[in-house]
Structure formats: C-alpha cells, structure tokens
Amino acid sequence: ESAVRYGIAMAQIRAHQPEKAAAALDDLLKSHPDTIEFIVARAQIDAQKGNKAAALKRLDTKLAKHPGSYALNITYAEIALALGDPGRASEKLKRFLDFRDDEPRVYKLLSRAAGDQGQQASGHEYLSEYYYLIGDLEGAILQLEIALKTPDLNFYESSRLESRLAKLRFEQDEEMKKGSAKR
C-alpha cells in the first residue's frame, strides 16, 4: 500500500500538484519516518515550492542518521547549489566521499560547488575525477592540465595535482601499450 501511495505522490509531482503530493508524503512519513525515498521526495517538493531552507533542514536531520545515503547527499547538494550556497553543498559531499568515493555525480557537483566559490583549480580537479570515473582518461588528464595553469596555486596544491596527473598519464601509457600489443 505504501508503495502505491508513493507512486501516486510521484505522479502528483509530475502533474504539478505539489500540495497533494506533499500531503501524501507527509502521511507516508508518519508511518515510515526513515524511508529515504519519501524524505527525498518531500524535500524536493519543499524546494520546488520555494522553501529550500526547509528542504535542507529536512535533509540535514536525516543525514545525521544516514550520513552515507547517496540520495540524501546528492539531493542536499543540488538544493544547496540551487539556493546559492555552494559551501554547504561542498561540505556535505566531501563528507560523503568518506563513504563512497567512486560516484561520478558527486565529483560533478563538487566541481560546480568549487567553481561557484571561485576555486577554479579544485573545480578542475573534481571534474578530472568525474571524467576518470566515467572512463574518459583523456578528459581527466586535460582537466588536471587546466587546473595546473590556475594562477596562485600553492606548492602543496601544485604537487598534489602533478602527482595525480603523472598517475593518469602512466595509466594512459599502459593502455596505449596494451592497445598496440593487440595489433
């Protein structure tokens, strides 16, 4: 029954009936307060209705209990970025990396948050990880090369970026050797 009610609420969201969907999700949350899908959908409705602060508060409360939830973290970051608060988005996503560091979307959102904060080198570094995780080694290398051209990099940042670039170039060379060996 709960799954059907959730499906109806999602249909109401798509039909631009946020009030009805919110009421249905509120009922579902009374009996299933820790169901991530219900929490995320309810927060998205809050955000759509322009109440992004309430959406973030709702998500923040549940993130305290479920810090490793992909859906909660991604939704939180997207709403925080839409709210114009890239610092909050970045903070949550960086903590999430402790649980899972292999999710391309996390790095894409981190890149956007860094760019919104004027941290170009970090933005390119995160975008490099995004490209790496989706299998675009060339794109990953290019992003690190761009990051290294950022003015005012300190020694630590520059060394870290150069080290990662060297690893990726080595991996690229190994792939090229394997490719030419097959011929």
Side-chain angles (χ1 to χ4, degrees), residues 6 8-23 25 39-56 58-59 75 78-80 82-83:
Y6 172 70
I8 291 169
M10 297 309 291
Q12 290 168 329
I13 291 171
R14 286 190 295 278
H16 305 289
Q17 298 173 344
E19 298 301 328
K20 288 181 180 180
L25 288 165
I39 297 161
V40 166
R42 186 62 179 92
Q44 288 171 332
I45 291 171
D46 286 339
Q48 286 173 4
K49 289 171 50 180
N51 198 351
K52 290 180 176 70
L56 290 179
R58 179 182 304 276
L59 293 167
T75 304
E78 288 173 341
I79 293 171
L83 188 60

PDB file of all heavy atoms in Angstrom, residues 6 8-23 25 39-56 58-59 75 78-80 82-83:
ATOM      1  N   TYR A   6       3.128   6.082  -2.587  1.00  0.00           N
ATOM      2  CA  TYR A   6       4.322   6.804  -3.024  1.00  0.00           C
ATOM      3  C   TYR A   6       4.275   7.042  -4.535  1.00  0.00           C
ATOM      4  O   TYR A   6       4.582   8.136  -5.016  1.00  0.00           O
ATOM      5  CB  TYR A   6       5.576   6.012  -2.644  1.00  0.00           C
ATOM      6  CG  TYR A   6       6.860   6.566  -3.200  1.00  0.00           C
ATOM      7  CD1 TYR A   6       7.386   7.769  -2.724  1.00  0.00           C
ATOM      8  CD2 TYR A   6       7.567   5.899  -4.193  1.00  0.00           C
ATOM      9  CE1 TYR A   6       8.566   8.285  -3.226  1.00  0.00           C
ATOM     10  CE2 TYR A   6       8.747   6.397  -4.698  1.00  0.00           C
ATOM     11  CZ  TYR A   6       9.241   7.582  -4.215  1.00  0.00           C
ATOM     12  OH  TYR A   6      10.420   8.091  -4.721  1.00  0.00           O
ATOM     13  N   ILE A   8       1.652   7.310  -6.401  1.00  0.00           N
ATOM     14  CA  ILE A   8       0.642   8.349  -6.647  1.00  0.00           C
ATOM     15  C   ILE A   8       1.220   9.726  -6.336  1.00  0.00           C
ATOM     16  O   ILE A   8       1.029  10.677  -7.105  1.00  0.00           O
ATOM     17  CB  ILE A   8      -0.639   8.071  -5.825  1.00  0.00           C
ATOM     18  CG1 ILE A   8      -1.341   6.823  -6.369  1.00  0.00           C
ATOM     19  CG2 ILE A   8      -1.574   9.282  -5.847  1.00  0.00           C
ATOM     20  CD1 ILE A   8      -2.468   6.297  -5.487  1.00  0.00           C
ATOM     21  N   ALA A   9       1.960   9.827  -5.240  1.00  0.00           N
ATOM     22  CA  ALA A   9       2.578  11.115  -4.879  1.00  0.00           C
ATOM     23  C   ALA A   9       3.566  11.560  -5.955  1.00  0.00           C
ATOM     24  O   ALA A   9       3.611  12.741  -6.323  1.00  0.00           O
ATOM     25  CB  ALA A   9       3.280  11.001  -3.529  1.00  0.00           C
ATOM     26  N   MET A  10       4.334  10.615  -6.487  1.00  0.00           N
ATOM     27  CA  MET A  10       5.288  10.963  -7.545  1.00  0.00           C
ATOM     28  C   MET A  10       4.549  11.411  -8.809  1.00  0.00           C
ATOM     29  O   MET A  10       4.978  12.338  -9.491  1.00  0.00           O
ATOM     30  CB  MET A  10       6.211   9.779  -7.845  1.00  0.00           C
ATOM     31  CG  MET A  10       7.083   9.366  -6.659  1.00  0.00           C
ATOM     32  SD  MET A  10       7.995  10.725  -5.888  1.00  0.00           S
ATOM     33  CE  MET A  10       9.156  11.090  -7.165  1.00  0.00           C
ATOM     34  N   ALA A  11       3.426  10.766  -9.109  1.00  0.00           N
ATOM     35  CA  ALA A  11       2.610  11.179 -10.256  1.00  0.00           C
ATOM     36  C   ALA A  11       2.045  12.576 -10.029  1.00  0.00           C
ATOM     37  O   ALA A  11       1.978  13.388 -10.963  1.00  0.00           O
ATOM     38  CB  ALA A  11       1.478  10.181 -10.487  1.00  0.00           C
ATOM     39  N   GLN A  12       1.675  12.878  -8.798  1.00  0.00           N
ATOM     40  CA  GLN A  12       1.163  14.217  -8.475  1.00  0.00           C
ATOM     41  C   GLN A  12       2.256  15.271  -8.642  1.00  0.00           C
ATOM     42  O   GLN A  12       1.968  16.385  -9.095  1.00  0.00           O
ATOM     43  CB  GLN A  12       0.594  14.233  -7.051  1.00  0.00           C
ATOM     44  CG  GLN A  12      -0.692  13.443  -6.919  1.00  0.00           C
ATOM     45  CD  GLN A  12      -1.103  13.207  -5.468  1.00  0.00           C
ATOM     46  OE1 GLN A  12      -0.275  13.103  -4.579  1.00  0.00           O
ATOM     47  NE2 GLN A  12      -2.418  13.108  -5.258  1.00  0.00           N
ATOM     48  N   ILE A  13       3.463  14.914  -8.313  1.00  0.00           N
ATOM     49  CA  ILE A  13       4.582  15.854  -8.517  1.00  0.00           C
ATOM     50  C   ILE A  13       4.731  16.147 -10.012  1.00  0.00           C
ATOM     51  O   ILE A  13       4.841  17.301 -10.419  1.00  0.00           O
ATOM     52  CB  ILE A  13       5.901  15.286  -7.940  1.00  0.00           C
ATOM     53  CG1 ILE A  13       5.836  15.242  -6.411  1.00  0.00           C
ATOM     54  CG2 ILE A  13       7.093  16.129  -8.401  1.00  0.00           C
ATOM     55  CD1 ILE A  13       6.996  14.493  -5.771  1.00  0.00           C
ATOM     56  N   ARG A  14       4.719  15.097 -10.821  1.00  0.00           N
ATOM     57  CA  ARG A  14       4.861  15.272 -12.279  1.00  0.00           C
ATOM     58  C   ARG A  14       3.674  16.031 -12.869  1.00  0.00           C
ATOM     59  O   ARG A  14       3.810  16.708 -13.879  1.00  0.00           O
ATOM     60  CB  ARG A  14       5.030  13.913 -12.959  1.00  0.00           C
ATOM     61  CG  ARG A  14       6.412  13.312 -12.742  1.00  0.00           C
ATOM     62  CD  ARG A  14       6.648  12.085 -13.604  1.00  0.00           C
ATOM     63  NE  ARG A  14       5.770  10.969 -13.281  1.00  0.00           N
ATOM     64  CZ  ARG A  14       5.961  10.101 -12.295  1.00  0.00           C
ATOM     65  NH1 ARG A  14       7.019  10.224 -11.520  1.00  0.00           N
ATOM     66  NH2 ARG A  14       5.103   9.115 -12.086  1.00  0.00           N
ATOM     67  N   ALA A  15       2.518  15.919 -12.232  1.00  0.00           N
ATOM     68  CA  ALA A  15       1.317  16.612 -12.707  1.00  0.00           C
ATOM     69  C   ALA A  15       1.209  18.021 -12.124  1.00  0.00           C
ATOM     70  O   ALA A  15       0.164  18.659 -12.240  1.00  0.00           O
ATOM     71  CB  ALA A  15       0.069  15.802 -12.349  1.00  0.00           C
ATOM     72  N   HIS A  16       2.291  18.485 -11.501  1.00  0.00           N
ATOM     73  CA  HIS A  16       2.352  19.836 -10.920  1.00  0.00           C
ATOM     74  C   HIS A  16       1.256  20.043  -9.868  1.00  0.00           C
ATOM     75  O   HIS A  16       0.584  21.065  -9.839  1.00  0.00           O
ATOM     76  CB  HIS A  16       2.281  20.910 -12.016  1.00  0.00           C
ATOM     77  CG  HIS A  16       3.327  20.742 -13.062  1.00  0.00           C
ATOM     78  ND1 HIS A  16       4.661  20.989 -12.826  1.00  0.00           N
ATOM     79  CD2 HIS A  16       3.252  20.299 -14.345  1.00  0.00           C
ATOM     80  CE1 HIS A  16       5.351  20.728 -13.913  1.00  0.00           C
ATOM     81  NE2 HIS A  16       4.528  20.302 -14.854  1.00  0.00           N
ATOM     82  N   GLN A  17       1.122  19.052  -8.996  1.00  0.00           N
ATOM     83  CA  GLN A  17       0.202  19.122  -7.867  1.00  0.00           C
ATOM     84  C   GLN A  17       1.003  18.931  -6.572  1.00  0.00           C
ATOM     85  O   GLN A  17       0.819  17.958  -5.843  1.00  0.00           O
ATOM     86  CB  GLN A  17      -0.878  18.042  -7.987  1.00  0.00           C
ATOM     87  CG  GLN A  17      -1.751  18.182  -9.207  1.00  0.00           C
ATOM     88  CD  GLN A  17      -2.699  17.002  -9.372  1.00  0.00           C
ATOM     89  OE1 GLN A  17      -2.531  15.950  -8.766  1.00  0.00           O
ATOM     90  NE2 GLN A  17      -3.702  17.181 -10.210  1.00  0.00           N
ATOM     91  N   PRO A  18       1.894  19.882  -6.279  1.00  0.00           N
ATOM     92  CA  PRO A  18       2.791  19.693  -5.138  1.00  0.00           C
ATOM     93  C   PRO A  18       2.066  19.631  -3.792  1.00  0.00           C
ATOM     94  O   PRO A  18       2.519  18.926  -2.882  1.00  0.00           O
ATOM     95  CB  PRO A  18       3.732  20.895  -5.210  1.00  0.00           C
ATOM     96  CG  PRO A  18       2.994  21.918  -5.990  1.00  0.00           C
ATOM     97  CD  PRO A  18       2.127  21.154  -6.957  1.00  0.00           C
ATOM     98  N   GLU A  19       0.955  20.325  -3.650  1.00  0.00           N
ATOM     99  CA  GLU A  19       0.244  20.306  -2.371  1.00  0.00           C
ATOM    100  C   GLU A  19      -0.286  18.905  -2.067  1.00  0.00           C
ATOM    101  O   GLU A  19      -0.148  18.409  -0.950  1.00  0.00           O
ATOM    102  CB  GLU A  19      -0.900  21.314  -2.370  1.00  0.00           C
ATOM    103  CG  GLU A  19      -0.465  22.773  -2.552  1.00  0.00           C
ATOM    104  CD  GLU A  19       0.492  23.254  -1.474  1.00  0.00           C
ATOM    105  OE1 GLU A  19       0.411  22.795  -0.307  1.00  0.00           O
ATOM    106  OE2 GLU A  19       1.353  24.104  -1.795  1.00  0.00           O
ATOM    107  N   LYS A  20      -0.891  18.277  -3.072  1.00  0.00           N
ATOM    108  CA  LYS A  20      -1.423  16.922  -2.884  1.00  0.00           C
ATOM    109  C   LYS A  20      -0.285  15.937  -2.627  1.00  0.00           C
ATOM    110  O   LYS A  20      -0.392  15.061  -1.765  1.00  0.00           O
ATOM    111  CB  LYS A  20      -2.224  16.484  -4.112  1.00  0.00           C
ATOM    112  CG  LYS A  20      -3.555  17.176  -4.264  1.00  0.00           C
ATOM    113  CD  LYS A  20      -4.281  16.649  -5.485  1.00  0.00           C
ATOM    114  CE  LYS A  20      -5.627  17.341  -5.664  1.00  0.00           C
ATOM    115  NZ  LYS A  20      -6.341  16.835  -6.851  1.00  0.00           N
ATOM    116  N   ALA A  21       0.784  16.076  -3.382  1.00  0.00           N
ATOM    117  CA  ALA A  21       1.935  15.180  -3.204  1.00  0.00           C
ATOM    118  C   ALA A  21       2.546  15.357  -1.818  1.00  0.00           C
ATOM    119  O   ALA A  21       2.897  14.370  -1.158  1.00  0.00           O
ATOM    120  CB  ALA A  21       2.975  15.455  -4.283  1.00  0.00           C
ATOM    121  N   ALA A  22       2.660  16.605  -1.369  1.00  0.00           N
ATOM    122  CA  ALA A  22       3.225  16.877  -0.042  1.00  0.00           C
ATOM    123  C   ALA A  22       2.378  16.230   1.047  1.00  0.00           C
ATOM    124  O   ALA A  22       2.912  15.608   1.979  1.00  0.00           O
ATOM    125  CB  ALA A  22       3.339  18.380   0.188  1.00  0.00           C
ATOM    126  N   ALA A  23       1.057  16.357   0.919  1.00  0.00           N
ATOM    127  CA  ALA A  23       0.161  15.757   1.914  1.00  0.00           C
ATOM    128  C   ALA A  23       0.312  14.233   1.923  1.00  0.00           C
ATOM    129  O   ALA A  23       0.386  13.613   3.001  1.00  0.00           O
ATOM    130  CB  ALA A  23      -1.283  16.155   1.630  1.00  0.00           C
ATOM    131  N   LEU A  25       2.923  12.461   0.969  1.00  0.00           N
ATOM    132  CA  LEU A  25       4.239  12.103   1.505  1.00  0.00           C
ATOM    133  C   LEU A  25       4.308  12.332   3.010  1.00  0.00           C
ATOM    134  O   LEU A  25       4.945  11.558   3.735  1.00  0.00           O
ATOM    135  CB  LEU A  25       5.339  12.872   0.776  1.00  0.00           C
ATOM    136  CG  LEU A  25       5.590  12.388  -0.651  1.00  0.00           C
ATOM    137  CD1 LEU A  25       6.404  13.398  -1.435  1.00  0.00           C
ATOM    138  CD2 LEU A  25       6.282  11.033  -0.643  1.00  0.00           C
ATOM    139  N   ILE A  39      11.636  10.821   2.125  1.00  0.00           N
ATOM    140  CA  ILE A  39      12.296  12.036   2.628  1.00  0.00           C
ATOM    141  C   ILE A  39      12.796  12.887   1.463  1.00  0.00           C
ATOM    142  O   ILE A  39      12.585  14.102   1.426  1.00  0.00           O
ATOM    143  CB  ILE A  39      13.469  11.657   3.560  1.00  0.00           C
ATOM    144  CG1 ILE A  39      12.945  10.916   4.792  1.00  0.00           C
ATOM    145  CG2 ILE A  39      14.267  12.890   3.955  1.00  0.00           C
ATOM    146  CD1 ILE A  39      14.005  10.109   5.518  1.00  0.00           C
ATOM    147  N   VAL A  40      13.447  12.237   0.509  1.00  0.00           N
ATOM    148  CA  VAL A  40      13.989  12.954  -0.651  1.00  0.00           C
ATOM    149  C   VAL A  40      12.865  13.599  -1.455  1.00  0.00           C
ATOM    150  O   VAL A  40      12.952  14.779  -1.824  1.00  0.00           O
ATOM    151  CB  VAL A  40      14.831  12.000  -1.535  1.00  0.00           C
ATOM    152  CG1 VAL A  40      15.120  12.607  -2.887  1.00  0.00           C
ATOM    153  CG2 VAL A  40      16.131  11.646  -0.826  1.00  0.00           C
ATOM    154  N   ALA A  41      11.806  12.847  -1.713  1.00  0.00           N
ATOM    155  CA  ALA A  41      10.682  13.397  -2.492  1.00  0.00           C
ATOM    156  C   ALA A  41      10.053  14.577  -1.766  1.00  0.00           C
ATOM    157  O   ALA A  41       9.732  15.598  -2.384  1.00  0.00           O
ATOM    158  CB  ALA A  41       9.644  12.316  -2.756  1.00  0.00           C
ATOM    159  N   ARG A  42       9.914  14.460  -0.457  1.00  0.00           N
ATOM    160  CA  ARG A  42       9.300  15.560   0.310  1.00  0.00           C
ATOM    161  C   ARG A  42      10.194  16.798   0.290  1.00  0.00           C
ATOM    162  O   ARG A  42       9.714  17.923   0.164  1.00  0.00           O
ATOM    163  CB  ARG A  42       9.018  15.102   1.750  1.00  0.00           C
ATOM    164  CG  ARG A  42       8.248  16.117   2.579  1.00  0.00           C
ATOM    165  CD  ARG A  42       6.872  16.376   1.953  1.00  0.00           C
ATOM    166  NE  ARG A  42       6.106  17.317   2.729  1.00  0.00           N
ATOM    167  CZ  ARG A  42       6.083  18.633   2.537  1.00  0.00           C
ATOM    168  NH1 ARG A  42       6.812  19.184   1.567  1.00  0.00           N
ATOM    169  NH2 ARG A  42       5.336  19.418   3.278  1.00  0.00           N
ATOM    170  N   ALA A  43      11.491  16.602   0.396  1.00  0.00           N
ATOM    171  CA  ALA A  43      12.427  17.729   0.341  1.00  0.00           C
ATOM    172  C   ALA A  43      12.401  18.380  -1.037  1.00  0.00           C
ATOM    173  O   ALA A  43      12.472  19.610  -1.153  1.00  0.00           O
ATOM    174  CB  ALA A  43      13.842  17.256   0.685  1.00  0.00           C
ATOM    175  N   GLN A  44      12.280  17.574  -2.083  1.00  0.00           N
ATOM    176  CA  GLN A  44      12.216  18.130  -3.437  1.00  0.00           C
ATOM    177  C   GLN A  44      10.952  18.974  -3.618  1.00  0.00           C
ATOM    178  O   GLN A  44      10.993  20.010  -4.287  1.00  0.00           O
ATOM    179  CB  GLN A  44      12.290  17.010  -4.475  1.00  0.00           C
ATOM    180  CG  GLN A  44      13.672  16.400  -4.558  1.00  0.00           C
ATOM    181  CD  GLN A  44      13.738  15.157  -5.422  1.00  0.00           C
ATOM    182  OE1 GLN A  44      12.763  14.426  -5.562  1.00  0.00           O
ATOM    183  NE2 GLN A  44      14.919  14.900  -5.986  1.00  0.00           N
ATOM    184  N   ILE A  45       9.869  18.556  -3.010  1.00  0.00           N
ATOM    185  CA  ILE A  45       8.641  19.356  -3.074  1.00  0.00           C
ATOM    186  C   ILE A  45       8.842  20.679  -2.356  1.00  0.00           C
ATOM    187  O   ILE A  45       8.466  21.740  -2.864  1.00  0.00           O
ATOM    188  CB  ILE A  45       7.439  18.587  -2.482  1.00  0.00           C
ATOM    189  CG1 ILE A  45       7.071  17.424  -3.387  1.00  0.00           C
ATOM    190  CG2 ILE A  45       6.236  19.511  -2.302  1.00  0.00           C
ATOM    191  CD1 ILE A  45       6.056  16.478  -2.784  1.00  0.00           C
ATOM    192  N   ASP A  46       9.457  20.629  -1.166  1.00  0.00           N
ATOM    193  CA  ASP A  46       9.747  21.880  -0.443  1.00  0.00           C
ATOM    194  C   ASP A  46      10.561  22.821  -1.326  1.00  0.00           C
ATOM    195  O   ASP A  46      10.272  24.013  -1.413  1.00  0.00           O
ATOM    196  CB  ASP A  46      10.538  21.595   0.845  1.00  0.00           C
ATOM    197  CG  ASP A  46       9.696  20.985   1.945  1.00  0.00           C
ATOM    198  OD1 ASP A  46       8.450  21.123   1.905  1.00  0.00           O
ATOM    199  OD2 ASP A  46      10.282  20.375   2.861  1.00  0.00           O
ATOM    200  N   ALA A  47      11.574  22.279  -1.977  1.00  0.00           N
ATOM    201  CA  ALA A  47      12.444  23.095  -2.833  1.00  0.00           C
ATOM    202  C   ALA A  47      11.669  23.657  -4.020  1.00  0.00           C
ATOM    203  O   ALA A  47      11.822  24.836  -4.366  1.00  0.00           O
ATOM    204  CB  ALA A  47      13.630  22.272  -3.319  1.00  0.00           C
ATOM    205  N   GLN A  48      10.819  22.841  -4.643  1.00  0.00           N
ATOM    206  CA  GLN A  48      10.025  23.305  -5.783  1.00  0.00           C
ATOM    207  C   GLN A  48       9.066  24.418  -5.380  1.00  0.00           C
ATOM    208  O   GLN A  48       8.788  25.317  -6.170  1.00  0.00           O
ATOM    209  CB  GLN A  48       9.222  22.144  -6.385  1.00  0.00           C
ATOM    210  CG  GLN A  48      10.047  21.164  -7.170  1.00  0.00           C
ATOM    211  CD  GLN A  48       9.224  19.955  -7.600  1.00  0.00           C
ATOM    212  OE1 GLN A  48       8.026  19.872  -7.372  1.00  0.00           O
ATOM    213  NE2 GLN A  48       9.896  19.003  -8.221  1.00  0.00           N
ATOM    214  N   LYS A  49       8.579  24.348  -4.168  1.00  0.00           N
ATOM    215  CA  LYS A  49       7.644  25.364  -3.677  1.00  0.00           C
ATOM    216  C   LYS A  49       8.379  26.619  -3.203  1.00  0.00           C
ATOM    217  O   LYS A  49       7.754  27.563  -2.733  1.00  0.00           O
ATOM    218  CB  LYS A  49       6.798  24.787  -2.539  1.00  0.00           C
ATOM    219  CG  LYS A  49       5.794  23.750  -3.030  1.00  0.00           C
ATOM    220  CD  LYS A  49       5.092  22.993  -1.926  1.00  0.00           C
ATOM    221  CE  LYS A  49       4.500  23.865  -0.856  1.00  0.00           C
ATOM    222  NZ  LYS A  49       3.828  23.096   0.195  1.00  0.00           N
ATOM    223  N   GLY A  50       9.707  26.627  -3.337  1.00  0.00           N
ATOM    224  CA  GLY A  50      10.490  27.800  -2.969  1.00  0.00           C
ATOM    225  C   GLY A  50      10.953  27.803  -1.528  1.00  0.00           C
ATOM    226  O   GLY A  50      11.534  28.772  -1.068  1.00  0.00           O
ATOM    227  N   ASN A  51      10.710  26.728  -0.825  1.00  0.00           N
ATOM    228  CA  ASN A  51      11.116  26.654   0.576  1.00  0.00           C
ATOM    229  C   ASN A  51      12.363  25.779   0.698  1.00  0.00           C
ATOM    230  O   ASN A  51      12.344  24.721   1.315  1.00  0.00           O
ATOM    231  CB  ASN A  51       9.961  26.119   1.427  1.00  0.00           C
ATOM    232  CG  ASN A  51      10.148  26.430   2.888  1.00  0.00           C
ATOM    233  OD1 ASN A  51      11.201  26.899   3.302  1.00  0.00           O
ATOM    234  ND2 ASN A  51       9.129  26.151   3.679  1.00  0.00           N
ATOM    235  N   LYS A  52      13.442  26.262   0.087  1.00  0.00           N
ATOM    236  CA  LYS A  52      14.675  25.482   0.044  1.00  0.00           C
ATOM    237  C   LYS A  52      15.299  25.310   1.428  1.00  0.00           C
ATOM    238  O   LYS A  52      15.886  24.279   1.730  1.00  0.00           O
ATOM    239  CB  LYS A  52      15.657  26.124  -0.922  1.00  0.00           C
ATOM    240  CG  LYS A  52      15.220  25.988  -2.377  1.00  0.00           C
ATOM    241  CD  LYS A  52      16.210  26.630  -3.318  1.00  0.00           C
ATOM    242  CE  LYS A  52      15.847  26.416  -4.755  1.00  0.00           C
ATOM    243  NZ  LYS A  52      14.682  27.134  -5.207  1.00  0.00           N
ATOM    244  N   ALA A  53      15.130  26.310   2.296  1.00  0.00           N
ATOM    245  CA  ALA A  53      15.687  26.199   3.652  1.00  0.00           C
ATOM    246  C   ALA A  53      15.033  25.043   4.404  1.00  0.00           C
ATOM    247  O   ALA A  53      15.714  24.274   5.089  1.00  0.00           O
ATOM    248  CB  ALA A  53      15.500  27.509   4.402  1.00  0.00           C
ATOM    249  N   ALA A  54      13.722  24.884   4.256  1.00  0.00           N
ATOM    250  CA  ALA A  54      13.017  23.770   4.904  1.00  0.00           C
ATOM    251  C   ALA A  54      13.474  22.446   4.309  1.00  0.00           C
ATOM    252  O   ALA A  54      13.630  21.451   5.036  1.00  0.00           O
ATOM    253  CB  ALA A  54      11.506  23.931   4.752  1.00  0.00           C
ATOM    254  N   ALA A  55      13.703  22.432   3.008  1.00  0.00           N
ATOM    255  CA  ALA A  55      14.171  21.213   2.350  1.00  0.00           C
ATOM    256  C   ALA A  55      15.531  20.802   2.899  1.00  0.00           C
ATOM    257  O   ALA A  55      15.755  19.631   3.226  1.00  0.00           O
ATOM    258  CB  ALA A  55      14.249  21.415   0.844  1.00  0.00           C
ATOM    259  N   LEU A  56      16.436  21.771   3.032  1.00  0.00           N
ATOM    260  CA  LEU A  56      17.769  21.460   3.547  1.00  0.00           C
ATOM    261  C   LEU A  56      17.704  21.012   4.999  1.00  0.00           C
ATOM    262  O   LEU A  56      18.431  20.096   5.403  1.00  0.00           O
ATOM    263  CB  LEU A  56      18.693  22.670   3.405  1.00  0.00           C
ATOM    264  CG  LEU A  56      19.096  23.029   1.976  1.00  0.00           C
ATOM    265  CD1 LEU A  56      19.984  24.263   1.971  1.00  0.00           C
ATOM    266  CD2 LEU A  56      19.776  21.870   1.286  1.00  0.00           C
ATOM    267  N   ARG A  58      15.196  19.470   6.476  1.00  0.00           N
ATOM    268  CA  ARG A  58      14.641  18.111   6.455  1.00  0.00           C
ATOM    269  C   ARG A  58      15.742  17.100   6.107  1.00  0.00           C
ATOM    270  O   ARG A  58      15.893  16.066   6.753  1.00  0.00           O
ATOM    271  CB  ARG A  58      13.511  18.045   5.432  1.00  0.00           C
ATOM    272  CG  ARG A  58      12.853  16.685   5.297  1.00  0.00           C
ATOM    273  CD  ARG A  58      11.776  16.700   4.215  1.00  0.00           C
ATOM    274  NE  ARG A  58      10.754  17.707   4.395  1.00  0.00           N
ATOM    275  CZ  ARG A  58       9.672  17.563   5.178  1.00  0.00           C
ATOM    276  NH1 ARG A  58       9.503  16.443   5.855  1.00  0.00           N
ATOM    277  NH2 ARG A  58       8.782  18.526   5.273  1.00  0.00           N
ATOM    278  N   LEU A  59      16.515  17.414   5.089  1.00  0.00           N
ATOM    279  CA  LEU A  59      17.588  16.515   4.657  1.00  0.00           C
ATOM    280  C   LEU A  59      18.706  16.430   5.693  1.00  0.00           C
ATOM    281  O   LEU A  59      19.250  15.359   5.954  1.00  0.00           O
ATOM    282  CB  LEU A  59      18.139  16.963   3.304  1.00  0.00           C
ATOM    283  CG  LEU A  59      17.167  16.825   2.137  1.00  0.00           C
ATOM    284  CD1 LEU A  59      17.690  17.587   0.923  1.00  0.00           C
ATOM    285  CD2 LEU A  59      16.916  15.367   1.793  1.00  0.00           C
ATOM    286  N   THR A  75      20.752  15.011  -3.168  1.00  0.00           N
ATOM    287  CA  THR A  75      19.613  15.937  -3.127  1.00  0.00           C
ATOM    288  C   THR A  75      19.975  17.179  -2.322  1.00  0.00           C
ATOM    289  O   THR A  75      19.676  18.301  -2.722  1.00  0.00           O
ATOM    290  CB  THR A  75      18.363  15.252  -2.542  1.00  0.00           C
ATOM    291  OG1 THR A  75      18.087  14.076  -3.308  1.00  0.00           O
ATOM    292  CG2 THR A  75      17.167  16.172  -2.576  1.00  0.00           C
ATOM    293  N   GLU A  78      22.318  19.368  -4.462  1.00  0.00           N
ATOM    294  CA  GLU A  78      21.608  20.026  -5.567  1.00  0.00           C
ATOM    295  C   GLU A  78      20.760  21.190  -5.063  1.00  0.00           C
ATOM    296  O   GLU A  78      20.734  22.260  -5.683  1.00  0.00           O
ATOM    297  CB  GLU A  78      20.744  19.007  -6.311  1.00  0.00           C
ATOM    298  CG  GLU A  78      21.560  18.035  -7.138  1.00  0.00           C
ATOM    299  CD  GLU A  78      20.744  16.914  -7.752  1.00  0.00           C
ATOM    300  OE1 GLU A  78      19.606  16.644  -7.285  1.00  0.00           O
ATOM    301  OE2 GLU A  78      21.254  16.299  -8.713  1.00  0.00           O
ATOM    302  N   ILE A  79      20.074  21.000  -3.945  1.00  0.00           N
ATOM    303  CA  ILE A  79      19.240  22.074  -3.403  1.00  0.00           C
ATOM    304  C   ILE A  79      20.107  23.205  -2.866  1.00  0.00           C
ATOM    305  O   ILE A  79      19.817  24.381  -3.090  1.00  0.00           O
ATOM    306  CB  ILE A  79      18.269  21.531  -2.328  1.00  0.00           C
ATOM    307  CG1 ILE A  79      17.242  20.600  -2.992  1.00  0.00           C
ATOM    308  CG2 ILE A  79      17.565  22.666  -1.596  1.00  0.00           C
ATOM    309  CD1 ILE A  79      16.357  19.838  -2.020  1.00  0.00           C
ATOM    310  N   ALA A  80      21.199  22.871  -2.181  1.00  0.00           N
ATOM    311  CA  ALA A  80      22.099  23.915  -1.665  1.00  0.00           C
ATOM    312  C   ALA A  80      22.688  24.730  -2.814  1.00  0.00           C
ATOM    313  O   ALA A  80      22.786  25.967  -2.719  1.00  0.00           O
ATOM    314  CB  ALA A  80      23.207  23.287  -0.822  1.00  0.00           C
ATOM    315  N   ALA A  82      21.297  25.180  -5.760  1.00  0.00           N
ATOM    316  CA  ALA A  82      20.196  25.990  -6.302  1.00  0.00           C
ATOM    317  C   ALA A  82      19.900  27.181  -5.390  1.00  0.00           C
ATOM    318  O   ALA A  82      19.498  28.241  -5.861  1.00  0.00           O
ATOM    319  CB  ALA A  82      18.945  25.134  -6.465  1.00  0.00           C
ATOM    320  N   LEU A  83      20.134  27.004  -4.119  1.00  0.00           N
ATOM    321  CA  LEU A  83      19.918  28.070  -3.134  1.00  0.00           C
ATOM    322  C   LEU A  83      21.050  29.097  -3.169  1.00  0.00           C
ATOM    323  O   LEU A  83      20.946  30.160  -2.591  1.00  0.00           O
ATOM    324  CB  LEU A  83      19.792  27.444  -1.744  1.00  0.00           C
ATOM    325  CG  LEU A  83      19.376  28.293  -0.568  1.00  0.00           C
ATOM    326  CD1 LEU A  83      17.991  28.886  -0.807  1.00  0.00           C
ATOM    327  CD2 LEU A  83      19.366  27.468   0.706  1.00  0.00           C
TER     328      LEU A  83
END
